[in-house]
Amino acid sequence: MKIVEQIKQPITVEMELFENKFRESMSTKVALLNRITHYIVNRKGKQMRPMFVFLTAKMVSGGTVNERTYRGAAVIELIHTATLVHDDVVDDSYKRRGFFSINALWKNKIAVLVGDYLLSKGLLLSIDNNDFDLLKIISVAVREMSEGELLQIEKARRLDITEDIYYEIIRQKTATLIAACCSLGACSVKPEDAETIERMRKFGELIGMAFQIKDDLFDYTDDAIGKPTGIDIKEQKMTLPLIYALNNCSPKEKSWVINSVKNHNKDKKRVKEVIQFVKDKNGLHYAEQKMIQFQQEALQLIQNFPQSPYKDSLTLMVNYVIERKK
């Protein structure tokens, strides 16, 4: 059995019900919008985020979910989808998971409006049901994701990213949404238990950090993933392997690398040389160690919950994040 199917097993019923509720939450009277949302729903990915919501809710409650859990999962998925649609516009990206992006098929103006629509749908779903505690969790995540993106853009211009700033960027850009999924799951079933909600938020954040470092490592490997090698360098993104290599080399090497990333990032031979340089300086090994550290800290946080299929699945999920091949 595929690992994702294995992870999903204890929440199969919830995920099926969620699919239907999610479709309903997308529907509208505008025909063009319906066509686009239908296109989005039919090209969904692995749906890791709703899985985190349901597994967390069931683990902390001893196996139950409620309507709030479904709404929380739908809101996260709506807002996550909105950010992806907007990201594709920002990045001028015409493909998403091998399919055409919304902006490729319907142009930027429509894509931005669709993203806005999904965002407002998500917010209203919470407001209409008085889920203000869930709404706060999600709104903080949206704010942080925007801040993280802007911080990365600001730093990319000068290429002066320290390891601490890198962690702050990935915490906001990637980890904050997974943190929101886990705290939402806990909050939907145990709204009064502030300690558990915070523990699960931290758990999600640590997984998100490990997830992003794994993504950064893919840039240096030729494995069969959907992302061509060296693309982060071409886009002048400072990732952990590169930051570590720059902190552990001579001033002459440092200026060569920075010059390569800034001015020669379209030169395939030069990009290959930078990749080799990072490997030689143990940048990959260092990033892997950090990723494992985040993973172990995450597992530590759920250690004291009673044994259950949901806890097993979350453990599998944490391990999958760092062992995945794409």
Side-chain angles (χ1 to χ4, degrees):
M1 189 192 294
K2 276 192 177 157
I3 185 136
V4 178
E5 293 309 312
Q6 224 175 319
I7 294 167
K8 260 190 192 173
Q9 200 139 28
I11 49 165
T12 314
V13 178
E14 286 80 6
M15 287 301 285
E16 277 176 18
L17 244 172
F18 164 72
E19 289 270 323
N20 299 331
K21 287 177 188 280
F22 186 57
R23 275 172 199 273
E24 279 167 29
S25 69
M26 282 257 206
S27 65
T28 158
K29 293 187 178 75
V30 180
L32 171 64
L33 201 44
N34 264 343
R35 255 205 320 278
I36 297 172
T37 53
H38 183 74
Y39 179 81
I40 291 170
V41 170
N42 287 337
R43 276 153 197 76
K44 61 189 182 314
K46 295 188 189 77
Q47 292 192 302
M48 304 279 277
R49 285 155 196 85
M51 282 156 68
F52 272 121
V53 175
F54 291 118
L55 287 170
T56 302
K58 290 186 94 166
M59 180 183 75
V60 305
S61 68
T64 56
V65 295
N66 55 32
E67 279 305 313
R68 269 164 56 88
T69 318
Y70 285 103
R71 287 198 297 269
V75 171
I76 276 283
E77 201 64 346
L78 282 163
I79 288 182
H80 173 58
T81 309
T83 61
L84 294 184
V85 172
H86 281 165
D87 277 354
D88 287 339
V89 174
V90 171
D91 297 339
D92 268 333
S93 178
Y94 292 133
K95 282 285 177 81
R96 161 83 50 193
R97 297 193 195 100
F99 296 101
F100 284 113
S101 58
I102 303 302
N103 48 309
L105 293 172
W106 285 281
K107 301 287 175 280
N108 283 351
K109 186 176 181 178
I110 288 178
V112 170
L113 294 169
V114 168
D116 292 347
Y117 169 78
L118 295 171
L119 194 63
S120 61
K121 267 293 213 192
L123 302 178
L124 283 168
L125 185 58
S126 298
I127 292 166
D128 292 344
N129 292 285
N130 292 330
D131 296 330
F132 296 111
D133 50 351
L134 304 186
L135 184 60
K136 183 168 185 186
I137 292 170
I138 288 151
S139 302
V140 168
V142 174
R143 183 196 71 205
E144 293 209 316
M145 284 155 71
S146 312
E147 283 178 357
E149 282 289 352
L150 288 163
L151 179 60
Q152 184 171 40
I153 290 168
E154 178 196 329
K155 294 297 176 186
R157 290 190 178 139
R158 296 204 302 276
L159 297 184
D160 60 345
I161 295 189
T162 62
E163 200 171 317
D164 285 343
I165 291 174
Y166 165 80
Y167 291 135
E168 187 51 22
I169 289 171
I170 69 168
R171 187 190 68 72
Q172 291 186 314
K173 251 187 68 170
T174 305
T176 193
L177 194 63
I178 299 176
C181 295
C182 298
S183 51
L184 260 183
C187 187
S188 71
V189 289
K190 287 195 159 191
E192 280 79 46
D193 191 346
E195 193 198 332
T196 299
I197 295 167
E198 175 53 27
R199 172 183 289 259
M200 293 317 295
R201 187 200 67 76
K202 189 70 192 160
F203 168 79
E205 183 174 287
L206 289 163
I207 295 170
M209 302 288 278
F211 182 90
Q212 187 56 54
I213 295 173
K214 178 70 173 179
D215 241 29
D216 293 349
L217 284 163
F218 280 142
D219 203 45
Y220 292 89
T221 53
D222 296 322
D223 289 349
I225 54 158
K227 186 174 147 183
T229 311
I231 202 153
D232 286 340
I233 295 169
K234 292 185 187 101
E235 290 176 0
Q236 299 190 21
K237 280 186 187 154
M238 298 290 278
T239 60
L240 190 55
L242 184 58
I243 292 165
Y244 178 80
L246 283 174
N247 287 340
N248 292 278
C249 66
S250 68
K252 191 178 164 196
E253 288 172 320
K254 188 170 186 169
S255 65
W256 173 81
V257 173
I258 287 183
N259 181 29
S260 302
V261 174
K262 259 196 165 148
N263 305 314
H264 302 281
N265 53 41
K266 303 285 185 282
D267 176 344
K268 281 187 179 157
K269 182 171 172 285
R270 195 76 174 251
V271 169
K272 267 200 170 128
E273 285 169 3
V274 172
I275 289 174
Q276 196 51 53
F277 169 82
V278 171
K279 287 179 178 171
D280 294 344
K281 293 288 176 190
N282 285 329
L284 302 195
H285 177 70
Y286 180 78
E288 269 168 20
Q289 294 310 109
K290 281 287 175 192
M291 174 180 75
I292 290 165
Q293 192 183 320
F294 285 125
Q295 175 224 21
Q296 292 302 320
E297 282 176 35
L299 289 174
Q300 206 69 42
L301 285 174
I302 58 169
Q303 215 178 355
N304 295 336
F305 285 100
Q307 235 8 77
S308 68
Y310 322 112
K311 182 178 169 180
D312 292 344
S313 273
L314 278 173
T315 306
L316 255 180
M317 188 92 120
V318 177
N319 295 332
Y320 169 70
V321 158
I322 72 161
E323 286 159 12
R324 67 201 164 98
K325 297 283 183 277
K326 59 178 179 177

